[in-house]
Amino acid sequence: EAGVTQFPSHSVIEKGQTVTLRCDPISGHDNLYWYRRVMGKEIKFLLHFVKESKQDESGMPNNRFLAERTGGTYSTLKVQPAELEDSGVYFCASSQDGGFDANTGELFFGEGSRLTVL
Amino acid sequence: AQKITQTQPGMFVQEKEAVTLDCTYDTSDQSYGLFWYKQPSSGEMIFLIYQGSYDEQNATEGRYSLNFQKARKSANLVISASQLGDSAMYFCAMREVYNTDKLIFGTGTRLQVFP
């Protein structure tokens, strides 16, 4: 079974340009999360989808970031226009069960998309 | 506010030795879960071990064990018999049961295992 896949693995763009990151969760996982790690800092939550609905988007930094999950399958995260401080690694994760799993509560992560804004 | 603190930016350990990676947390909730993830150079985040706040025994998964000290709010990861393949970034994370469905991460510890 395929894991969480993210594309592109690395994107280099200039300030002011637009970038769209894509995440394909594990098939059948209703919950999809985006996280971001800026160099040397902690990994921070951005938002959470349950199917196609945004359950929690409290971590989205500003309105230059737009996440969608049409049809409740793959998700995209668009940054427009990109700024220097947007550079970092964007992780996507998925899980089957919403809420807290008493056994592991495990999230399955992708390999991340590294964004470099020049 | 919820917070995870990892005070060791980097650690070195010799192969076959044990190493402890520190993690302290802060939460006002009584129900929460603590996680450790490994991030090798390939980039993916690999789940290692989980401890629930009501679990009375420390979690163990193979060579990984979690030293859970609830009163001190610490959840240190112990790796026994280190292997070269253990070299990676290690992240401690917390998830509160009722308030949110998201993970709060620490800044990570880079572990280097040398022969």
Side-chain angles (χ1 to χ4, degrees):
Chain A
E1 181 183 348
V4 177
T5 57
Q6 293 187 244
F7 181 83
S9 57
H10 192 188
S11 181
V12 181
I13 61 172
E14 292 187 349
K15 176 183 172 180
Q17 290 186 321
T18 297
V19 64
T20 300
L21 310 177
R22 172 170 169 146
C23 169
D24 286 76
I26 293 174
S27 177
H29 281 192
D30 289 339
N31 294 276
L32 186 149
Y33 307 79
W34 283 99
Y35 287 83
R36 176 176 75 170
R37 184 174 187 234
V38 173
M39 180 67 75
K41 298 194 175 180
E42 67 270 26
I43 300 169
K44 285 197 170 180
F45 168 83
L46 296 179
L47 88 159
H48 170 208
F49 283 101
V50 177
K51 296 184 180 179
E52 68 274 8
S53 299
K54 292 177 185 175
Q55 184 78 9
D56 179 356
E57 53 183 330
S58 61
M60 294 289 265
N62 51 61
N63 59 10
R64 295 185 294 102
F65 288 74
L66 175 65
E68 294 180 324
R69 193 183 182 196
T70 306
T73 55
Y74 70 91
S75 173
T76 58
L77 180 64
K78 179 190 286 188
V79 185
Q80 179 183 30
E83 298 289 343
L84 299 179
E85 63 266 25
D86 301 333
S87 295
V89 181
Y90 290 77
F91 289 100
C92 177
S94 72
S95 70
Q96 187 168 22
D97 297 319
F100 192 78
D101 183 303
N103 292 324
T104 69
E106 181 180 353
L107 292 186
F108 295 85
F109 281 83
E111 294 187 357
S113 290
R114 180 177 295 278
L115 174 63
T116 302
V117 183
L118 303 175
Chain B
Q2 314 93 14
K3 185 172 179 167
I4 293 285
T5 302
Q6 294 180 255
T7 57
Q8 306 155 315
M11 289 284 285
F12 289 90
V13 65
Q14 191 167 29
E15 199 176 7
K16 299 180 184 177
E17 296 293 312
V19 63
T20 298
L21 306 184
D22 295 341
C23 172
T24 58
Y25 60 93
D26 190 16
T27 179
S28 57
D29 202 356
Q30 296 301 310
S31 299
Y32 51 88
L34 296 158
F35 302 77
W36 277 91
Y37 281 84
K38 172 185 177 181
Q39 186 187 30
S41 56
S42 58
E44 66 180 307
M45 297 281 283
I46 302 169
F47 167 77
L48 294 178
I49 195 167
Y50 163 81
Q51 178 89 38
S53 60
Y54 292 116
D55 294 342
E56 294 184 352
Q57 294 199 348
N58 288 342
T60 60
E61 288 286 347
R63 294 185 299 110
Y64 304 109
S65 61
L66 199 151
N67 184 2
F68 181 46
Q69 298 188 40
K70 194 170 183 177
R72 297 178 62 182
K73 292 190 174 179
S74 74
N76 298 340
L77 176 70
V78 181
I79 305 175
S80 62
S82 298
Q83 302 172 356
L84 296 178
D86 294 334
S87 295
M89 281 290 290
Y90 289 80
F91 292 95
C92 180
M94 176 174 65
R95 189 175 187 181
E96 292 185 340
V97 175
Y98 299 114
N99 291 336
T100 180
D101 192 32
K102 61 193 179 199
L103 291 176
I104 308 296
F105 284 88
T107 52
T109 297
R110 180 169 296 281
L111 177 66
Q112 297 270 25
V113 181
F114 59 94

